[in-house]
mmCIF file of all heavy atoms in Angstrom:
data_model
loop_
_atom_site.group_PDB
_atom_site.id
_atom_site.type_symbol
_atom_site.label_atom_id
_atom_site.label_comp_id
_atom_site.label_asym_id
_atom_site.label_seq_id
_atom_site.Cartn_x
_atom_site.Cartn_y
_atom_site.Cartn_z
ATOM 1 N N LYS A 611 114.764 -4.892 134.894
ATOM 2 C CA LYS A 611 116.128 -5.259 134.557
ATOM 3 C C LYS A 611 116.163 -6.715 134.189
ATOM 4 O O LYS A 611 115.528 -7.540 134.805
ATOM 5 C CB LYS A 611 117.051 -5.008 135.741
ATOM 6 C CG LYS A 611 117.267 -3.524 135.986
ATOM 7 C CD LYS A 611 118.056 -3.293 137.239
ATOM 8 C CE LYS A 611 117.270 -3.724 138.449
ATOM 9 N NZ LYS A 611 117.908 -3.251 139.685
ATOM 10 N N ARG A 612 116.914 -7.023 133.227
ATOM 11 C CA ARG A 612 116.921 -8.388 132.756
ATOM 12 C C ARG A 612 118.306 -8.950 132.917
ATOM 13 O O ARG A 612 119.243 -8.518 132.289
ATOM 14 C CB ARG A 612 116.482 -8.358 131.295
ATOM 15 C CG ARG A 612 116.436 -9.648 130.631
ATOM 16 C CD ARG A 612 115.311 -10.518 131.149
ATOM 17 N NE ARG A 612 115.558 -11.864 130.718
ATOM 18 C CZ ARG A 612 115.304 -12.297 129.493
ATOM 19 N NH1 ARG A 612 114.758 -11.492 128.627
ATOM 20 N NH2 ARG A 612 115.575 -13.516 129.154
ATOM 21 N N LYS A 613 118.457 -9.907 133.760
ATOM 22 C CA LYS A 613 119.776 -10.502 133.932
ATOM 23 C C LYS A 613 119.991 -11.519 132.837
ATOM 24 O O LYS A 613 119.158 -12.360 132.580
ATOM 25 C CB LYS A 613 119.858 -11.209 135.284
ATOM 26 C CG LYS A 613 119.822 -10.222 136.416
ATOM 27 C CD LYS A 613 120.108 -10.919 137.720
ATOM 28 C CE LYS A 613 119.942 -9.920 138.848
ATOM 29 N NZ LYS A 613 120.109 -10.506 140.140
ATOM 30 N N LEU A 614 121.110 -11.434 132.218
ATOM 31 C CA LEU A 614 121.380 -12.361 131.145
ATOM 32 C C LEU A 614 121.847 -13.693 131.677
ATOM 33 O O LEU A 614 121.727 -14.709 131.026
ATOM 34 C CB LEU A 614 122.420 -11.768 130.183
ATOM 35 C CG LEU A 614 121.902 -10.502 129.492
ATOM 36 C CD1 LEU A 614 122.988 -9.888 128.653
ATOM 37 C CD2 LEU A 614 120.686 -10.824 128.646
ATOM 38 N N GLU A 615 122.392 -13.692 132.862
ATOM 39 C CA GLU A 615 122.773 -14.963 133.467
ATOM 40 C C GLU A 615 121.685 -15.307 134.461
ATOM 41 O O GLU A 615 121.248 -14.469 135.201
ATOM 42 C CB GLU A 615 124.075 -14.810 134.259
ATOM 43 C CG GLU A 615 125.249 -14.355 133.424
ATOM 44 C CD GLU A 615 125.773 -15.473 132.564
ATOM 45 O OE1 GLU A 615 125.697 -16.634 133.014
ATOM 46 O OE2 GLU A 615 126.263 -15.195 131.470
ATOM 47 N N ASP A 616 121.264 -16.513 134.489
ATOM 48 C CA ASP A 616 120.257 -16.764 135.489
ATOM 49 C C ASP A 616 120.918 -17.208 136.778
ATOM 50 O O ASP A 616 122.074 -17.571 136.832
ATOM 51 C CB ASP A 616 119.208 -17.755 134.979
ATOM 52 C CG ASP A 616 119.543 -19.169 135.324
ATOM 53 O OD1 ASP A 616 119.335 -19.521 136.490
ATOM 54 O OD2 ASP A 616 120.015 -19.882 134.450
ATOM 55 N N VAL A 617 120.137 -17.170 137.806
ATOM 56 C CA VAL A 617 120.719 -17.273 139.126
ATOM 57 C C VAL A 617 121.365 -18.622 139.406
ATOM 58 O O VAL A 617 122.331 -18.745 140.124
ATOM 59 C CB VAL A 617 119.614 -16.953 140.157
ATOM 60 C CG1 VAL A 617 118.682 -18.129 140.314
ATOM 61 C CG2 VAL A 617 120.196 -16.514 141.463
ATOM 62 N N GLU A 618 120.834 -19.671 138.831
ATOM 63 C CA GLU A 618 121.332 -21.005 139.172
ATOM 64 C C GLU A 618 122.758 -21.239 138.726
ATOM 65 O O GLU A 618 123.561 -21.848 139.413
ATOM 66 C CB GLU A 618 120.443 -22.089 138.545
ATOM 67 C CG GLU A 618 119.173 -22.345 139.314
ATOM 68 C CD GLU A 618 118.149 -21.248 139.121
ATOM 69 O OE1 GLU A 618 118.233 -20.527 138.113
ATOM 70 O OE2 GLU A 618 117.279 -21.110 139.987
ATOM 71 N N THR A 619 123.068 -20.791 137.523
ATOM 72 C CA THR A 619 124.398 -21.115 137.026
ATOM 73 C C THR A 619 125.397 -20.006 137.331
ATOM 74 O O THR A 619 126.565 -20.133 137.056
ATOM 75 C CB THR A 619 124.358 -21.325 135.505
ATOM 76 O OG1 THR A 619 123.786 -20.151 134.931
ATOM 77 C CG2 THR A 619 123.492 -22.515 135.161
ATOM 78 N N GLY A 620 124.956 -18.924 137.892
ATOM 79 C CA GLY A 620 125.889 -17.853 138.224
ATOM 80 C C GLY A 620 126.512 -17.317 136.971
ATOM 81 O O GLY A 620 125.912 -16.541 136.254
ATOM 82 N N GLY A 621 127.660 -17.758 136.662
ATOM 83 C CA GLY A 621 128.284 -17.257 135.437
ATOM 84 C C GLY A 621 129.037 -15.974 135.706
ATOM 85 O O GLY A 621 129.131 -15.515 136.843
ATOM 86 N N ALA A 622 129.546 -15.418 134.671
ATOM 87 C CA ALA A 622 130.439 -14.263 134.824
ATOM 88 C C ALA A 622 129.683 -12.990 135.169
ATOM 89 O O ALA A 622 129.665 -12.046 134.429
ATOM 90 C CB ALA A 622 131.229 -14.069 133.541
ATOM 91 N N GLY A 623 129.014 -13.003 136.277
ATOM 92 C CA GLY A 623 128.312 -11.795 136.709
ATOM 93 C C GLY A 623 127.103 -11.490 135.863
ATOM 94 O O GLY A 623 127.042 -11.822 134.701
ATOM 95 N N SER A 624 126.131 -10.880 136.451
ATOM 96 C CA SER A 624 124.922 -10.620 135.655
ATOM 97 C C SER A 624 124.954 -9.200 135.127
ATOM 98 O O SER A 624 125.307 -8.258 135.813
ATOM 99 C CB SER A 624 123.694 -10.848 136.506
ATOM 100 O OG SER A 624 123.913 -10.332 137.792
ATOM 101 N N LYS A 625 124.576 -9.088 133.889
ATOM 102 C CA LYS A 625 124.516 -7.763 133.288
ATOM 103 C C LYS A 625 123.109 -7.228 133.470
ATOM 104 O O LYS A 625 122.136 -7.949 133.339
ATOM 105 C CB LYS A 625 124.809 -7.859 131.790
ATOM 106 C CG LYS A 625 126.264 -8.110 131.479
ATOM 107 C CD LYS A 625 126.503 -8.019 129.984
ATOM 108 C CE LYS A 625 126.823 -9.385 129.407
ATOM 109 N NZ LYS A 625 126.918 -9.319 127.944
ATOM 110 N N ARG A 626 123.023 -5.982 133.742
ATOM 111 C CA ARG A 626 121.696 -5.405 133.856
ATOM 112 C C ARG A 626 121.430 -4.474 132.706
ATOM 113 O O ARG A 626 122.261 -3.696 132.313
ATOM 114 C CB ARG A 626 121.578 -4.633 135.150
ATOM 115 C CG ARG A 626 121.495 -5.594 136.291
ATOM 116 C CD ARG A 626 121.756 -4.956 137.609
ATOM 117 N NE ARG A 626 121.743 -6.016 138.608
ATOM 118 C CZ ARG A 626 121.074 -5.949 139.737
ATOM 119 N NH1 ARG A 626 120.378 -4.884 140.023
ATOM 120 N NH2 ARG A 626 121.114 -6.951 140.589
ATOM 121 N N LYS A 627 120.269 -4.596 132.174
ATOM 122 C CA LYS A 627 119.925 -3.731 131.062
ATOM 123 C C LYS A 627 118.539 -3.183 131.271
ATOM 124 O O LYS A 627 117.694 -3.827 131.828
ATOM 125 C CB LYS A 627 119.899 -4.544 129.770
ATOM 126 C CG LYS A 627 121.259 -4.833 129.231
ATOM 127 C CD LYS A 627 121.137 -5.504 127.891
ATOM 128 C CE LYS A 627 122.504 -5.632 127.261
ATOM 129 N NZ LYS A 627 122.467 -5.426 125.842
ATOM 130 N N ARG A 628 118.330 -2.005 130.773
ATOM 131 C CA ARG A 628 116.981 -1.486 130.704
ATOM 132 C C ARG A 628 116.537 -1.610 129.270
ATOM 133 O O ARG A 628 117.210 -1.176 128.362
ATOM 134 C CB ARG A 628 116.942 -0.014 131.073
ATOM 135 C CG ARG A 628 117.376 0.231 132.462
ATOM 136 C CD ARG A 628 116.283 0.448 133.445
ATOM 137 N NE ARG A 628 116.855 0.233 134.762
ATOM 138 C CZ ARG A 628 117.364 1.189 135.506
ATOM 139 N NH1 ARG A 628 117.369 2.422 135.057
ATOM 140 N NH2 ARG A 628 117.868 0.912 136.682
ATOM 141 N N LEU A 629 115.426 -2.210 129.082
ATOM 142 C CA LEU A 629 115.003 -2.475 127.728
ATOM 143 C C LEU A 629 113.650 -1.875 127.509
ATOM 144 O O LEU A 629 112.772 -1.980 128.344
ATOM 145 C CB LEU A 629 114.904 -3.981 127.535
ATOM 146 C CG LEU A 629 116.157 -4.684 127.995
ATOM 147 C CD1 LEU A 629 115.910 -6.159 128.134
ATOM 148 C CD2 LEU A 629 117.278 -4.440 127.015
ATOM 149 N N PHE A 630 113.436 -1.270 126.372
ATOM 150 C CA PHE A 630 112.173 -0.595 126.196
ATOM 151 C C PHE A 630 111.404 -0.903 124.944
ATOM 152 O O PHE A 630 110.305 -0.463 124.789
ATOM 153 C CB PHE A 630 112.384 0.922 126.281
ATOM 154 C CG PHE A 630 113.018 1.303 127.582
ATOM 155 C CD1 PHE A 630 114.294 1.788 127.612
ATOM 156 C CD2 PHE A 630 112.352 1.088 128.772
ATOM 157 C CE1 PHE A 630 114.899 2.094 128.814
ATOM 158 C CE2 PHE A 630 112.952 1.388 129.980
ATOM 159 C CZ PHE A 630 114.222 1.896 130.003
ATOM 160 N N GLU A 631 111.981 -1.607 124.019
ATOM 161 C CA GLU A 631 111.224 -1.872 122.797
ATOM 162 C C GLU A 631 110.540 -3.217 122.877
ATOM 163 O O GLU A 631 111.053 -4.152 123.432
ATOM 164 C CB GLU A 631 112.097 -1.925 121.555
ATOM 165 C CG GLU A 631 112.956 -0.741 121.197
ATOM 166 C CD GLU A 631 112.773 0.510 121.953
ATOM 167 O OE1 GLU A 631 111.797 1.209 121.749
ATOM 168 O OE2 GLU A 631 113.650 0.811 122.777
ATOM 169 N N LEU A 632 109.403 -3.305 122.269
ATOM 170 C CA LEU A 632 108.716 -4.576 122.209
ATOM 171 C C LEU A 632 109.190 -5.302 120.962
ATOM 172 O O LEU A 632 108.973 -4.838 119.865
ATOM 173 C CB LEU A 632 107.209 -4.361 122.134
ATOM 174 C CG LEU A 632 106.383 -5.636 121.998
ATOM 175 C CD1 LEU A 632 106.414 -6.417 123.297
ATOM 176 C CD2 LEU A 632 104.958 -5.292 121.653
ATOM 177 N N PRO A 633 109.860 -6.408 121.101
ATOM 178 C CA PRO A 633 110.393 -7.081 119.916
ATOM 179 C C PRO A 633 109.328 -7.923 119.230
ATOM 180 O O PRO A 633 108.510 -8.527 119.888
ATOM 181 C CB PRO A 633 111.460 -7.999 120.492
ATOM 182 C CG PRO A 633 110.989 -8.278 121.868
ATOM 183 C CD PRO A 633 110.181 -7.103 122.328
ATOM 184 N N ILE A 634 109.334 -7.918 117.952
ATOM 185 C CA ILE A 634 108.465 -8.842 117.238
ATOM 186 C C ILE A 634 109.256 -10.082 116.907
ATOM 187 O O ILE A 634 108.785 -11.175 116.970
ATOM 188 C CB ILE A 634 107.899 -8.191 115.956
ATOM 189 C CG1 ILE A 634 107.033 -7.007 116.327
ATOM 190 C CG2 ILE A 634 107.115 -9.210 115.145
ATOM 191 C CD1 ILE A 634 105.865 -7.345 117.215
ATOM 192 N N ASN A 635 110.486 -9.868 116.500
ATOM 193 C CA ASN A 635 111.374 -11.016 116.423
ATOM 194 C C ASN A 635 112.731 -10.550 116.877
ATOM 195 O O ASN A 635 113.038 -9.368 116.881
ATOM 196 C CB ASN A 635 111.419 -11.602 115.025
ATOM 197 C CG ASN A 635 112.023 -10.629 114.031
ATOM 198 O OD1 ASN A 635 113.156 -10.199 114.224
ATOM 199 N ND2 ASN A 635 111.299 -10.284 113.029
ATOM 200 N N ASP A 636 113.526 -11.473 117.293
ATOM 201 C CA ASP A 636 114.803 -11.041 117.846
ATOM 202 C C ASP A 636 115.943 -11.364 116.914
ATOM 203 O O ASP A 636 117.046 -11.610 117.330
ATOM 204 C CB ASP A 636 115.003 -11.659 119.237
ATOM 205 C CG ASP A 636 114.647 -13.123 119.238
ATOM 206 O OD1 ASP A 636 114.423 -13.670 118.145
ATOM 207 O OD2 ASP A 636 114.587 -13.727 120.301
ATOM 208 N N ASP A 637 115.660 -11.389 115.646
ATOM 209 C CA ASP A 637 116.737 -11.596 114.684
ATOM 210 C C ASP A 637 117.175 -10.277 114.077
ATOM 211 O O ASP A 637 116.607 -9.239 114.331
ATOM 212 C CB ASP A 637 116.270 -12.544 113.570
ATOM 213 C CG ASP A 637 116.079 -13.941 114.093
ATOM 214 O OD1 ASP A 637 116.420 -14.194 115.253
ATOM 215 O OD2 ASP A 637 115.572 -14.768 113.341
#
Side-chain angles (χ1 to χ4, degrees):
Chain A
K611 289 174 294 192
R612 179 70 195 281
K613 292 188 185 176
L614 296 175
E615 300 285 327
D616 92 77
V617 77
E618 280 75 22
T619 55
S624 41
K625 286 187 249 174
R626 287 164 184 228
K627 282 186 173 217
R628 297 259 162 93
L629 310 165
F630 303 112
E631 303 351 286
L632 177 71
I634 297 301
N635 65 58
D636 45 9
D637 291 353

